[in-house]
Amino acid sequence: MRTGSKNGMIRRTDPRSLGPRWAWAAAAAAGCAAVGAYQFGFRFPAAYATLPVAVLTLAVLAAVRGVRVPQRWRGVVRRLSEASFGAYLVHLAFVAPLGGAVAARVAPGPPAAGALGATALVCAAASFGAAHLWGRLRLRAWLG
């Protein structure tokens, strides 16, 4: 990880300087559970400006800092990262109709947890698929 210094030179810092990776992974799991609990209680996605979402985001970023991506996976990771902003822009087009329909038909408790996970996976796959498609069609300049 690189950080700036007082004299403008770039220096390397140890990725472990933020603490053990397992602690950040545990914080990410707790943040994910908090977001899930919020969504079950209010029956709609958590707002991005809430504390659980902030904790989840920062914990995930801290947990994966300094991770080296193997050379054979770099192409896939690059394509996913290029599509990530587009997926962010389009995901509500999938979450709103699918999440509402699933939430209205699922029983509370463990089935609801499974439904949340399945809905999240389907919406993420559809969002990344749509973003990747418009990237292949060279529409990224207009659609993100």
Side-chain angles (χ1 to χ4, degrees), residues 12-40:
R12 284 226 181 255
T13 59
D14 186 5
R16 294 171 294 192
S17 64
L18 292 175
R21 193 176 308 278
W22 65 265
W24 287 108
C32 190
V35 169
Y38 178 89
Q39 289 180 195
F40 284 134

Side-chain angles (χ1 to χ4, degrees), residues 26-118:
C32 190
V35 169
Y38 178 89
Q39 289 180 195
F40 284 134
F42 292 99
R43 291 284 196 186
F44 59 88
Y48 296 121
T50 60
L51 184 61
V53 173
V55 168
L56 174 60
T57 302
L58 294 175
V60 167
L61 290 175
V64 299
R65 76 198 178 287
V67 172
R68 291 195 167 266
V69 177
Q71 188 66 35
R72 66 180 182 266
W73 294 359
R74 289 185 184 180
V76 173
V77 170
R78 182 180 46 79
R79 283 190 296 277
L80 285 174
S81 69
E82 288 172 353
S84 65
F85 183 65
Y88 166 74
L89 292 176
V90 76
H91 79 281
L92 285 179
F94 297 109
V95 171
L98 187 59
V102 170
R105 290 173 179 79
V106 71
L116 173 67

